[in-house]
Amino acid sequence: MTSLPASPTFISPRARPARLRLRAGIERLIEGALFLLTLLSIATTVGIIVILVRETWGFFTMRGADGQILVPISDFLGDSLWSPLLSDPPRFGVTSLVCGTLLVTAIAAVFALPLGLLTAVYLSEYAPPRVRGVVKSLLEILAGIPTVVYGFFALTFITPNLLQPISSSFGTHSAMSAGIAVGIMILPIVSSLAEDALRAVPQSLRDGSLALGSTKAETILRVVIPAALSGIVASFLLAITRAIGETMIVALAAGGSVAQLTLNPSAQVQTMTAWMVQVFLGDAPAGGIEYQSSYAVAFTLFAFTFVMTWVGALILRRYREVYE
Amino acid sequence: MSHVVLVTCALAACIAVAALAALLLTIAIEGSGSLSWKFLTSFASRKAASAGILAPLAGSVWVCAICALVAIPMGIGTALYLEEYAKKSRLQGIIQLNISNLAGVPSIVYGLLALAVFVRFLGFRAGESPLSFSVDWSSLRIVAPGDPDSLWFIQVPFGPGVLAGGLTLALVVLPIMITASQEALRAVPRSLRQAAQALGSTPWQVAWRVTLPAALPTMMTGAILSVSRALGEAAPLLVIGGFLMVLQTPSNLMSDFTVLPMQIYNWSGRPQEEFHRIAAAAIIVQLAVLVTFNALAIFVRQSFQKPLQS
Amino acid sequence: MNPPPESTTMTQPADLPAPQRHPSTEVPHTASAAAGTSRPSTPTQRATVAMRRFNAWYGEHQVLQSIDLDIPEHQVCAFIGPSGCGKSTLLRWVNRMNDSIAGARAEGSLALHGSDLLGRGVDVVALRRRVGMVFQKPNPFPKSIRENVAFGARLHYRLTRADLDELVEKALRAAALWDEVKDRLGSPALGLSGGQQQRLCIARALAVDPEVLLMDEPCSALDPRSTASIESLIRQLRSNYTIVIVTHNMQQASRISDSTAFFYEGKLVENGPTDVLFTSPAQKQTEDYVSGRFG
C-alpha cells in the first residue's frame, strides 16, 4: 500500500459520539407511539360501530311489561309513521324519518348542486383573477360559518322574507326553509371541490378543443366538464353526505316532532338528526324505548353516510383521470 | 350561446355571494342593537333583556383549548406516521380510507361515541363516579374524594364536563387535522428528506429536524381551521349532555359548560322576537371570534412561510 | 471472467464498524482477488466498493443485471451511459437511498471495504455516515449556511460550539466556498447562487467525514461557470476521498475521472481507466456511445 494521504477530518477528535444505542431505542419508541396514534383512528371507527350495534340491538330486544318485544325490526322498517312521544302506542317507522331527511337533502341538492357547479365553472373558466380571488374568499367565509347560524338564518330570513310572501302555506318551520339553508351551507363545498376538479383539467385539452374551432362555451360543456366529471360527482356526493348528516339547521328550521311520509316542501318534517337532538335534549327519559330509539336512528344515519362516502371514494379512485 | 353560459355562471356566483350578504346583513340588523359590554359579561337569563353570553364564551374557550391540545398533536403524529414511516401497504391503504370515511361521519354520531366512552366510561350512569380526586399543589397531595371547587379536580368517569366536551370535539376534527397535516407534509420537497437521509439521519431525525419545520406553517393553518370547525360545533355537545342554561364559568376540567353555538341554538329556537335578537348578537360574537382565528391563520401562513426551494 | 467465491463478499456479518476516522489505514481488502470485469482497473489499487453479480429491480422491472465492478480507493470513478441505463440506481444502492422507494430490491453482493451492504441487518444510518451523497439539484435545507454544514455532524456527535465553528470553516474551505460566505454564515442557504448551493451541499456531505462521496449528476442543474468550479473541486477532493460520479456529460467524465464505467440497458458494458476507455474502447457499443453516435 502506498502512502495515500489520510482523509482530512472535520470532526474534532474531542467530540463525543452520539449515544447510538439510546438513539435506536428512542427511534423505535417514537415509531411505536406514532403507530399507536394511527391505530386510534381505526379504533374510533370500530368504537362507533360497536356502540351503535350494541345499543341498536338493545333497542330491538327491549321488551314491554307484557314481555312482548316493543319494536320489532319489521315495524321499524315497515311503519310509515314516526311518533314516539305523541301517539299511543308510540310509533317507530324509521322510513318517515328517512323520508324527512331525504326531502330536506333533495331540496338542498336541487338548490346547491347546479348553483355550486355553475359557480365553479365561472371561477375556473371565466372569472378574471381578481374577481376569482374575492369570490373564493367570500365562499370560504360561507364555508366557515357554523351551521347553527344557518338555522337562525332560515328562521329569521328565509321563512319570513322568501317563503311566506310566496305562499301562505309556509309556517315557521318547513322542509323548504331548512332545505334552502342546508343548500347554502353545502354550496361552498360543491363550488370549491368542483373548481379544483375543473382546474385540474390540463390547458392542453382546452387548447385542443379551441383549435378545432369550438367556442369557449362548447369547450367547457363538451370537454372540460366531462373531463372533470369524476371530481364533480365526488363533490356532489360529499355535499349530499354533509346535508344528510346536518343537524343544527334541521333541528331549528324543519320543525315537527312527528315524522310522516310526505313530499310536501311546506310541511313540517322530522329528520334523523333532529330526532336525536330532541332525545338528547331531554324530551325522552333516559333508558326508555324512545331514548334507545335514537341509537337505531343513528345507526341508520351512519349507514347512509358511510355508503355515500364509500361510493365517493370509489368513484374518485376508479374514474379519476390522471393527467401528467 | 357563449354569452348564455357566461351569464348563467356569473349569475350563479352572484347568488352565492348574495346569500352570504343576506346572511350577514340579517345578523347585523337583528343583533347589533343587543351587543354591549354587559351582554358579554352577563350570564344567561330567562329575560332576554338581561341575558348575556359569559358562560358560553368561557365554555367555548375551555372546550376548544382542550380540543386543540388533543387534536393538533394527535393529528400531526398520525400524519407523520402515514407520510414518513408507513410503507405502502394494505394496512396503510385501509387507514387512509378509514380517515376519509371518518371525515364523512356526521358530527352528532361522534357525540354518541363520546357519550359512551368519555362521559360514562362504558356503563356508568350520569352522577355516578366511583373515583374522584383533586390535586393539592401547595402540599403536593392527592385528595380523595376530590374537592369539586378545586382547579385540579378530576372524576372518573368524566361526566358531561369541559374535558369530555373538548375530547368530543377532538374526535370530530381529528380527521380534518390529519388530512391537513398530511397535505402539509406532502408539500415538503422530497429532495430535502433525501438530503437529510443521505447525511445519516434516522427517520425521526429527518422528521423532527427537516420535514416538520418545513411543514409547520401549513400545518398551523390546518390546525386553526380545525379549531374553527370545533368552535362552531353544537350537535355532538348536545348529545353528551352539555347544558343549555349554565350560570357559571368553568372552574375545572369537570365543570358543567355550554358553548356559543349551543346558546345560539337555544335562543334561536324560542318563538319570542327578543331572543332572536340576542341570538343574532351572540352570532356576531361567534363570527368575530372565527374571523380573528382565520386572520391569525393568514398571518401565520404569511409570516412563517419560508421558501423551500429557490 | 471468473466470478469470485460468494463467501468472500456476501456473507460478511452486517455490522458496519463504528465511525472510523482513518479507514485507509485498516480494513483488509477482500475483493481484490476478483478482478471482475472486462478490464480491471489498476490491479494494485484497493477497492473501496466492490460489486459482484449485482442485480437490482424496481418491482418486476430489472434495472441492473449481474454487475461486477470494483471502485478503487481515492480515485474518481465516473458512471456513464444513456438515460435509464441504471447508473443512478446503482449509485443509490451504494448508500441504500433506494430503501425509501417502494418495490426496489437487489440481489448479489455489494460491499464497502469488505462488509456487506445489502443484508437486512445493515445499519443504513451508519452506512450513510460513511458514504456521503450529492444530488442532481442542489438541496440545501431552508436554514442558515452554518446550520447546513453542521447538520450531519450534529446528528452523530455532541460537539462544543468551538468545535462546530472549526468544523464549519474546515468543511467550507474544503468545498472552496469559505471565502465567498465567511461573512454571512448566519444567512439563509437558499440565498446563495446555484453553484454555491451545490458546493454547500458538498461541504455538508464532507463535514461528516465520509470515505466515499456519491455524486448524482451534480452539475446538470448548473451553469458552465459553476460547473467548472465544481469540477475543479472534485479534482482536489480526489486525493482524500473515493468519488463516484454519475454524469451525462462525456467531456466531464473525461476531464475529471480516473476510471469510467459504461452502462447500457442495465448491464456494465465496459470499465477501465478513463483515457483508455475514451481513446481505445474494447467494445463496439462503448465506442459508439463515447463518439456520440447514440445516447
Side-chain angles (χ1 to χ4, degrees):
Chain A
M1 259 340 87
T2 50
S3 58
L4 288 163
S7 294
T9 54
F10 297 102
I11 289 160
S12 151
R14 294 185 300 276
R16 288 171 304 156
R19 280 174 278 190
L20 291 178
R21 188 161 301 194
L22 181 73
R23 192 162 83 187
I26 291 175
E27 196 70 28
R28 261 200 296 277
L29 208 70
I30 289 172
E31 179 166 1
L34 292 179
F35 180 62
L36 286 182
L37 264 188
T38 307
L39 284 189
L40 218 58
S41 67
I42 299 264
T44 308
T45 308
V46 172
I48 289 174
I49 292 174
V50 165
I51 281 160
L52 291 184
V53 167
R54 195 183 73 165
E55 300 293 327
T56 304
W57 177 256
F59 171 70
F60 285 124
T61 53
M62 205 175 249
R63 288 171 195 275
D66 53 357
Q68 289 286 325
I69 284 188
L70 286 170
V71 185
I73 294 183
S74 54
D75 280 8
F76 186 71
L77 297 177
D79 196 340
S80 64
L81 182 69
W82 181 273
S83 175
L85 298 173
L86 300 179
S87 303
D88 191 31
R91 303 271 295 274
F92 291 97
V94 79
T95 354
S96 51
L97 274 188
V98 171
C99 172
T101 294
L102 292 185
L103 179 60
V104 171
T105 304
I107 293 168
V110 164
F111 173 73
L113 301 189
L115 216 51
L117 178 58
L118 289 172
T119 305
V121 171
Y122 174 73
L123 290 177
S124 145
E125 308 296 320
Y126 288 108
R130 285 191 56 174
V131 177
R132 178 172 173 269
V134 171
V135 173
K136 265 184 83 86
S137 42
L138 289 177
L139 287 171
E140 254 172 57
I141 296 176
L142 210 52
I145 289 176
T147 59
V148 68
V149 176
Y150 290 103
F152 174 85
F153 185 60
L155 287 177
T156 57
F157 183 85
I158 297 176
T159 302
N161 296 339
L162 292 180
L163 300 178
Q164 283 170 343
I166 294 171
S167 156
S168 57
S169 62
F170 286 103
T172 314
H173 305 284
S174 64
M176 193 66 179
S177 178
I180 292 175
V182 173
I184 299 175
M185 182 205 83
I186 61 175
L187 182 63
I189 301 177
V190 178
S191 67
S192 110
L193 290 179
E195 198 217 341
D196 288 347
L198 291 170
R199 288 177 75 86
V201 175
Q203 188 60 35
S204 57
L205 241 62
R206 294 184 183 85
D207 294 345
S209 166
L210 292 171
L212 289 172
S214 311
T215 64
K216 184 159 188 172
E218 286 166 343
T219 304
I220 291 168
L221 293 177
R222 305 223 175 110
V223 178
V224 182
I225 290 181
L229 203 59
S230 68
I232 292 171
V233 171
S235 80
F236 284 3
L237 287 174
L238 187 72
I240 291 171
T241 312
R242 284 291 295 275
I244 291 176
E246 176 42 42
T247 306
M248 300 318 289
I249 298 176
V250 290
L252 276 172
S257 52
V258 175
Q260 48 211 332
L261 285 175
T262 175
L263 292 176
N264 176 6
S266 68
Q268 294 192 14
V269 293
Q270 175 78 304
T271 69
M272 294 189 270
T273 50
W275 167 250
M276 289 162 68
V277 168
Q278 208 181 338
V279 165
F280 286 100
L281 277 182
D283 279 13
I289 185 81
E290 300 86 357
Y291 182 86
Q292 204 69 23
S293 74
S294 63
Y295 284 95
V297 170
F299 188 87
T300 317
L301 174 67
F302 181 75
F304 263 89
T305 56
F306 194 77
V307 169
M308 295 289 288
T309 326
W310 198 274
V311 170
L314 215 67
I315 286 181
L316 262 190
R317 188 172 297 187
R318 172 120 2 129
Y319 298 103
R320 171 149 45 193
E321 289 84 0
V322 181
Y323 304 103
E324 289 291 345
Chain B
M1 164 70 182
S2 234
H3 287 299
V4 176
V5 175
L6 168 60
V7 169
T8 316
C9 292
L11 213 59
C14 286
I15 293 176
V17 173
L20 176 68
L23 186 117
L24 294 179
L25 272 178
T26 307
I27 291 159
I29 292 167
E30 288 262 337
S32 53
S34 312
L35 213 53
S36 68
W37 182 248
K38 190 170 144 284
F39 181 69
L40 293 177
T41 52
S42 309
F43 289 109
S45 162
R46 274 185 299 161
K47 283 201 290 268
S50 56
I53 53 166
L54 181 57
L57 204 55
S60 279
V61 171
W62 273 78
V63 168
C64 285
I66 295 168
C67 167
L69 285 177
V70 174
I72 293 172
M74 281 182 56
I76 293 178
T78 306
L80 267 180
Y81 184 80
L82 288 173
E83 292 300 315
E84 307 291 317
Y85 285 87
K87 300 264 186 305
K88 285 263 170 246
S89 68
R90 247 185 105 83
L91 180 68
Q92 198 230 13
I94 290 172
I95 293 173
Q96 202 68 68
L97 189 64
N98 177 56
I99 288 168
S100 59
N101 268 324
L102 279 178
V105 172
S107 60
I108 195 168
V109 174
Y110 285 104
L112 295 176
L113 175 68
L115 177 67
V117 177
F118 302 135
V119 181
R120 294 185 182 157
F121 270 49
L122 309 166
F124 296 100
R125 289 282 155 212
E128 287 175 23
S129 51
L131 177 62
S132 98
F133 61 89
S134 52
V135 184
D136 181 359
W137 290 103
S138 57
S139 62
L140 278 180
R141 276 192 317 169
I142 289 174
V143 186
D147 167 17
D149 294 328
S150 157
L151 176 61
W152 301 98
F153 172 67
I154 304 281
Q155 63 179 10
V156 178
F158 302 143
V162 286
L163 179 59
L167 293 174
T168 308
L169 293 184
L171 281 182
V172 175
V173 302
L174 193 56
I176 306 171
M177 187 61 213
I178 294 174
T179 318
S181 306
Q182 278 189 288
E183 271 160 24
L185 287 173
R186 273 184 219 144
V188 176
R190 257 173 66 97
S191 65
L192 285 187
R193 286 190 187 86
Q194 290 184 332
Q197 283 165 359
L199 289 169
S201 309
T202 60
W204 178 247
Q205 285 171 330
V206 176
W208 184 249
R209 299 183 188 215
V210 175
T211 331
L212 263 181
L216 214 54
T218 328
M219 275 185 179
M220 284 301 108
T221 314
I224 287 167
L225 292 180
S226 301
V227 176
S228 308
R229 169 83 193 274
L231 262 173
E233 278 293 345
L237 299 178
L238 287 174
V239 170
I240 66 163
F243 298 87
L244 292 178
M245 186 91 160
V246 176
L247 297 177
Q248 61 193 14
T249 55
S251 59
N252 59 45
L253 291 175
M254 302 298 128
S255 299
D256 295 346
F257 72 98
T258 185
V259 292
L260 276 172
M262 279 161 75
Q263 189 65 65
I264 294 166
Y265 168 72
N266 185 10
W267 284 338
S268 306
R270 299 193 188 187
Q272 299 93 332
E273 186 61 25
E274 57 266 34
F275 278 104
H276 286 180
R277 281 199 286 274
I278 58 172
I283 290 174
I284 293 175
V285 176
Q286 165 102 47
L287 294 184
V289 174
L290 284 174
V291 166
T292 316
F293 249 74
N294 284 285
L296 201 68
I298 293 165
F299 176 74
V300 166
R301 190 162 43 192
Q302 284 179 349
S303 56
F304 293 99
Q305 203 141 45
K306 297 180 201 156
L308 292 177
Q309 226 151 24
S310 50
Chain C
M1 224 160 83
N2 68 12
E6 298 276 304
S7 58
T8 54
T9 50
M10 265 200 81
T11 53
Q12 294 275 347
D15 58 328
L16 286 162
Q20 301 156 354
R21 298 290 158 74
H22 301 288
S24 50
T25 59
E26 42 203 314
V27 186
H29 178 51
T30 51
S32 67
T37 47
S38 47
R39 202 177 310 187
S41 52
T42 340
T44 54
Q45 208 85 47
R46 308 193 319 166
T48 306
V49 178
M51 302 160 198
R52 293 292 173 272
R53 284 196 280 169
F54 181 81
N55 295 284
W57 290 263
Y58 285 134
E60 294 300 301
H61 176 59
Q62 184 162 12
V63 276
L64 288 166
Q65 288 171 27
S66 197
I67 306 293
D68 289 303
L69 179 64
D70 282 338
I71 294 167
E73 188 164 46
H74 293 179
Q75 283 198 358
V76 177
C77 173
F79 287 2
I80 60 168
S83 299
C85 67
K87 56 191 192 304
S88 278
T89 305
L90 186 60
L91 191 76
R92 293 166 59 90
W93 270 108
V94 177
N95 69 344
R96 295 275 298 266
M97 284 302 283
N98 283 326
D99 284 19
S100 53
I101 294 173
R105 65 194 170 87
E107 280 172 12
S109 125
L110 174 62
L112 174 66
H113 285 307
S115 49
D116 171 41
L117 298 184
L118 295 180
R120 281 183 149 266
V122 171
D123 181 351
V124 291
V125 169
L127 165 66
R128 288 171 189 162
R129 214 202 60 50
R130 296 173 64 196
V131 182
M133 187 163 198
V134 176
F135 295 83
Q136 199 167 349
K137 267 174 74 181
N139 53 358
F141 299 118
K143 300 171 187 275
S144 69
I145 294 171
R146 183 205 314 274
E147 293 286 313
N148 264 280
V149 180
F151 187 93
R154 279 205 177 135
L155 298 174
H156 308 292
Y157 294 95
R158 290 176 286 166
L159 292 155
T160 63
R161 174 92 198 165
D163 285 346
L164 212 55
D165 285 344
E166 191 190 325
L167 166 125
V168 169
E169 179 175 346
K170 276 159 87 177
L172 285 171
R173 280 190 193 282
L177 190 61
W178 174 252
D179 291 332
E180 291 160 62
V181 300
K182 64 183 173 203
D183 300 324
R184 45 171 174 153
L185 293 176
S187 56
L190 290 167
L192 298 174
S193 75
Q196 288 174 324
Q197 286 188 11
Q198 193 64 304
R199 276 180 284 152
L200 178 67
C201 291
I202 294 174
R204 184 175 67 181
L206 294 179
V208 293
D209 286 348
E211 300 155 39
V212 180
L213 205 52
L214 308 174
M215 299 185 151
D216 191 356
E217 301 187 40
C219 303
S220 65
L222 303 180
D223 60 82
R225 266 191 57 202
S226 307
T227 302
S229 70
I230 302 273
E231 285 183 7
S232 80
L233 174 60
I234 292 172
R235 277 195 299 270
Q236 288 165 32
L237 293 173
R238 161 170 60 182
S239 51
N240 295 316
Y241 300 92
T242 306
I243 295 175
V244 188
I245 178 169
V246 165
T247 178
H248 263 118
N249 181 334
M250 274 171 291
Q251 282 77 40
Q252 184 172 64
S254 66
R255 279 195 300 266
I256 60 175
S257 70
D258 302 299
S259 68
T260 299
F262 170 60
F263 294 84
Y264 185 65
E265 291 185 342
K267 295 194 182 85
L268 174 61
V269 178
E270 190 169 353
N271 169 38
T274 298
D275 47 351
V276 179
L277 191 127
F278 276 90
T279 50
S280 51
Q283 305 288 328
K284 178 82 169 63
Q285 266 176 328
T286 315
E287 192 183 342
D288 288 350
Y289 185 73
V290 298
S291 61
R293 230 163 285 166
F294 77 100

